[in-house]
């Protein structure tokens, strides 16, 4: 069973509301929340897969009710406590005013441009050889669940579980989020763009020729 | 087997319920512990409000329309071609450019979260991060396009890219007719953010 964030294909969400290109944030605290999450991330206590999983682990009622940056803050609060950067008491406002042992890693203003420009590439050398070639028929796992950790992070959406598609592109070997999100190592393996006919995914596709492409790791796939 | 322990303990409940106060409380405690520099937060905000945004992507698109060698380089290895223009970084480490044609219209979504090519397009718009877009774009892209006032010819197929890994997709919209000989700046003005996500056409 998946978590609340796995909403691709869901019915009932209503219209998408376009907005002008110059609208970047919708409240004064939004940019502050964004910056805080990025700055805290640079302390190096978690990776992007861990941080995504933290947001996904919000209670469904909170995930649904929270605005976007509230989800980010919910994830950040969880990560700070889980990684012992802050105690629950400190998070709740109790102060001992002791400088953290991690303070040497604090992101400074003069480092910001360099850190944003450096990024965090996800490709890694891997001993796992690609077994699929472009054009090969593949089928995704029947269950969109992490096989290593019950309730763990995965990037196979439920709507694409058990579906047949074709390999469209090979991306090289990338960090496996299902492992990386749980402290089990990068476990890099081949990553492919796989194209699925809409009719393979939906009972009532809008148009016979429509397709959906997903980036999927080799261990999510079996020969079709 | 490792157990996922985070399901029964939600530390955000220790913070104030008002989100503006919640972010303030987080910033205050992290600053007090020497973990966050408020000036660094200002610098991050300045970067995404004033420096990194969809005009970067529009530059790439206009250049690809005008310069066949650059388009060929984008097809061959987009990361290398973009790096030469200075476009690389957080949430844009692995970029693939997908080209619209009369036969195929491309559209990008992240159903699981909000993955988006930040160095080229900046911070994703609110609608891109909304439940409605994430839920509907993969199942009924044409209905979503209608919300943007857009419809496609019967002979055009929609290919939706769900950004499930660290690869980021930039849509290369079709160059509008009647723009032969236009310079880069004039072409850039035709390229909206939405046309590079696939919820609009250029022009």
């Amino acid at each position: 069973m998946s978590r609340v964030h796995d909403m691709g294909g869901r019915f009932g969400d209503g219209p998408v509301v376009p907005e002008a290109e110059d609208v970047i944030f919708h409240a004064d605290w939004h940019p502050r929340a964004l910056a805080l999450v990025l700055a805290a991330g640079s302390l190096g206590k978690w990776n992007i897969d861990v941080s995504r999983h933290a947001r996904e682990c919000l209670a469904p009622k909170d995930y649904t009710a929270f605005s976007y940056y509230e989800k980010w803050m919910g994830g950040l609060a969880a990560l700070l406590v889980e990684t012992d950067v802050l105690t629950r008491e400190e998070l709740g406002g109790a102060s001992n005013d002791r400088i953290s042992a991690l303070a040497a890693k604090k992101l400074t203003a003069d480092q910001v441009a360099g850190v944003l420009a450096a990024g965090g590439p996800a490709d890694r050398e891997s001993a796992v050889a690609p077994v699929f070639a472009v054009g090969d028929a593949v089928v995704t796992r029947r269950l969109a669940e992490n096989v290593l950790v019950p309730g763990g992070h995965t990037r196979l959406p439920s709507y694409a579980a058990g579906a047949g598609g074709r390999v469209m592109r090979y991306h090289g070997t990338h960090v496996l989020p299902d492992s990386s999100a749980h402290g089990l190592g990068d476990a890099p393996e081949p990553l492919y763009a796989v194209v699925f006919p809409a009719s393979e995914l939906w009972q009532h596709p809008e148009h016979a020729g429509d397709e959906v492409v997903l980036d999927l790791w080799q261990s999510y796939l079996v020969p079709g | 087997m490792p157990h996922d322990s985070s399901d029964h303990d939600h530390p955000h409940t220790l913070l104030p319920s008002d989100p503006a106060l919640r972010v303030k409380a987080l910033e205050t405690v992290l600053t007090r512990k020497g973990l966050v520099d408020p000036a660094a937060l200002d610098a991050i905000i300045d970067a995404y409000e004033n420096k990194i945004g969809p005009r970067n992507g529009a530059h790439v698109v206009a250049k690809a329309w005008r310069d066949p060698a650059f388009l060929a380089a984008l097809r061959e290895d987009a990361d290398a071609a973009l790096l030469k223009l200075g476009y690389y970084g957080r949430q844009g480490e692995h970029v693939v450019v997908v080209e619209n044609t009369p036969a195929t219209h491309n559209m990008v979504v992240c159903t699981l979260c909000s993955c988006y090519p930040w160095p080229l397009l900046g911070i994703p718009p609110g609608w891109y991060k909304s439940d409605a877009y994430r839920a509907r774009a993969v199942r009924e892209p044409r209905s979503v396009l209608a919300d943007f006032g857009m419809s496609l010819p019967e002979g055009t197929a929609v290919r939706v890219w769900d950004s499930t890994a660290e690869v980021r997709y930039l849509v290369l919209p079709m160059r509008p007719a009647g723009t032969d000989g236009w310079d880069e700046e004039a072409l850039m003005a035709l390229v909206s953010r939405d046309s590079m996500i696939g919820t609009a056409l250029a022009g």
Side-chain angles (χ1 to χ4, degrees), chain A residues 35-214:
Chain A
L36 199 54
V37 169
L38 265 54
S42 72
L43 295 170
K45 296 293 280 184
W46 52 81
N47 61 41
I48 190 159
D49 300 308
V50 172
S51 66
R52 285 203 184 105
H53 186 58
R55 293 196 275 270
E56 295 162 6
C57 285
L58 290 169
K61 65 177 168 43
D62 289 335
Y63 192 95
T64 303
F66 279 0
S67 63
Y68 183 73
Y69 290 111
E70 286 181 277
K71 295 186 189 91
W72 277 38
M73 282 194 287
L76 176 60
L79 290 170
L80 290 168
V81 171
E82 277 169 27
T83 58
D84 298 322
V85 174
L86 295 180
T87 63
R88 292 178 65 89
E89 291 68 32
E90 286 170 329
L91 191 66
S95 170
N96 63 19
D97 283 330
R98 257 204 305 270
I99 295 297
S100 167
L102 267 180
K105 294 198 165 181
K106 176 175 69 179
L107 180 71
T108 58
D110 60 316
Q111 294 170 330
V112 165
V115 166
L116 297 182
D123 55 331
R124 301 281 189 281
E125 293 289 321
S126 172
V128 183
V131 299
F132 301 115
V134 170
D136 282 0
V138 292
V139 176
T140 56
R141 272 183 195 154
R142 189 173 64 83
L143 303 173
E145 284 194 49
N146 186 314
V147 298
L148 306 169
V149 180
H153 182 66
T154 190
R155 297 294 284 183
L156 175 61
S158 293
Y159 77 83
R166 283 192 184 277
V167 173
M168 191 176 186
R169 188 183 181 102
Y170 175 54
H171 291 304
T173 47
H174 282 230
V175 172
L176 179 67
D178 308 51
S179 174
S180 168
H182 300 285
L184 301 174
D186 286 349
E189 60 173 72
L191 176 71
Y192 308 90
V194 180
V195 60
F196 300 87
S199 58
E200 179 71 10
L201 306 174
W202 317 114
Q203 189 65 46
H204 303 282
E206 286 184 314
H207 186 282
D210 289 354
E211 299 171 327
V212 180
V213 183
L214 293 89

Side-chain angles (χ1 to χ4, degrees), chain A residues 32 68 88 90 206 215, chain B residues 9 33 42 114 142 164:
Chain A
R32 216 71 196 158
Y68 183 73
R88 292 178 65 89
E90 286 170 329
E206 286 184 314
D215 286 330
Chain B
D9 178 27
K33 300 286 288 180
D42 294 338
S114 53
R142 291 161 191 268
T164 45

